[in-house]
């Protein structure tokens, strides 16, 4: 295991943990559910992916062991994390979680949001039962 | 308004294969590395629960048309029979053995009779987990 590989793996793992840190800062500082889910699903995914790639490279070059499970984990996280973010934000929108106060555009307003008061009550009832 | 679950369903059809294959890997890896019947069974039922989340209960019942209570019973029966089978060879109940067998693709492989016992554990775990979840999911 050469020194170049050592440094490269170190940079990859540090970058991954830095991105995870950025995710947590975003979760604390951003104003509403949608911007937070934006921060959580993107940078956390890339952070975890980079750390897993670092682990994969480390065991490949240090122990000469190519871990297929880590590759599978990378593919799995890459597919699932954005879908989870999408489902959480969509569930939030359907249950009338308010957008950030300074939002200028809401294209789904006419389509997805319940229009009348009756519909709102009906949806909240469904939400509390579920 | 009908909820459109296209993204979830597409991803689920892809991912359930990955999860089930990984659970089978865990099941076979149990003898020499971490894994085994219990964790493999739990992961298979996790894949089935993911399918249940993405599709409705009727579709899943059509794809897997067996009663999971029977699956659990079959698993218990397999586990007991592997124990009883040892008694026919004049050794105590649940004595297990292993041997090296030439397999077509894998070559010389160590096959242990504990694998059959583990298969029983696997089936019991899948059966019981799915029975619990389907029973809770159906009661309105």
């Amino acid at each position: 295991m050469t020194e170049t590989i050592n440094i490269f793996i170190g940079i990859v793992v540090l970058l991954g943990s830095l991105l995870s840190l950025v995710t947590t800062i975003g979760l604390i500082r951003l104003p509403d559910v949608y911007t937070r889910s934006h921060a959580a699903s993107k940078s956390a995914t890339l952070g975890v992916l980079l750390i897993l790639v670092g682990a994969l490279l480390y065991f490949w070059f240090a122990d000469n062991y190519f871990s297929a499970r880590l590759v599978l984990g990378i593919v799995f996280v890459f597919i699932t994390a954005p879908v989870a973010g999408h489902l959480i934000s969509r569930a939030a929108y359907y249950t009338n979680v308010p957008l950030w106060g300074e939002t200028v555009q809401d294209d789904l307003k006419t389509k997805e949001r319940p229009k009348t008061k009756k519909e709102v009550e009906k949806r909240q009832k469904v939400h509390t039962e579920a | 308004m009908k909820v459109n679950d296209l993204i979830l369903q597409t991803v689920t059809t892809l991912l359930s294969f990955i999860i089930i294959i990984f659970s089978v890997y865990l099941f076979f890896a149990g003898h020499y590395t971490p894994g085994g019947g219990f964790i493999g069974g739990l992961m298979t039922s996790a894949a089935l629960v993911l399918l249940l989340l993405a599709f409705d209960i009727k579709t899943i019942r059509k794809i897997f048309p067996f009663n999971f209570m029977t699956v659990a019973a079959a698993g218990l029966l397999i586990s007991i029979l592997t124990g009883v089978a040892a008694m026919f060879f004049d050794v105590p109940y649940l004595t297990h053995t292993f041997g090296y067998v030439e397999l077509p693709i894998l070559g010389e492989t160590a096959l242990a009779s504990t694998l059959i016992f583990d298969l029983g554990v696997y089936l019991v775990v899948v059966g019981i987990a799915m029975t619990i979840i389907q029973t809770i999911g159906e009661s309105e």
Side-chain angles (χ1 to χ4, degrees), chain A residues 88 90-97 114 119-130:
Chain A
I88 290 169
R90 204 182 62 157
Y93 197 90
Y94 281 168
T95 48
N96 286 319
V97 173
E119 275 181 358
V120 173
E121 277 166 3
K122 195 180 159 196
R123 193 163 291 185
Q124 276 168 350
K125 202 180 156 202
V126 170
H127 177 58
T128 45
E129 275 171 2

Side-chain angles (χ1 to χ4, degrees), chain B residues 3-89:
Chain B
V3 178
N4 187 357
D5 273 336
L6 183 69
I7 294 179
L8 178 64
Q9 287 175 350
T10 313
V11 168
T12 302
T13 47
L14 185 71
L15 283 182
S16 53
F17 282 107
I18 299 182
I19 302 174
I20 288 178
I21 288 169
F22 191 66
S23 74
V24 171
Y25 160 76
L26 277 178
F27 170 68
F28 281 113
H31 203 63
Y32 294 109
T33 47
F38 183 76
I39 193 79
L42 269 187
M43 205 164 223
T44 305
S45 40
L48 296 180
V49 169
L50 182 66
L51 284 169
L52 276 176
L53 280 176
F55 303 94
D56 55 318
I57 210 159
K58 274 187 192 130
T59 320
I60 304 303
R61 193 151 281 169
K62 212 192 267 171
I63 300 170
F64 301 101
F66 32 74
N67 186 358
F68 283 102
M69 217 97 91
T70 338
V71 173
L76 264 181
L77 203 65
I78 289 172
S79 290
I80 292 170
L81 284 181
T82 54
V84 172
M87 294 163 85
F88 289 109
F89 297 96

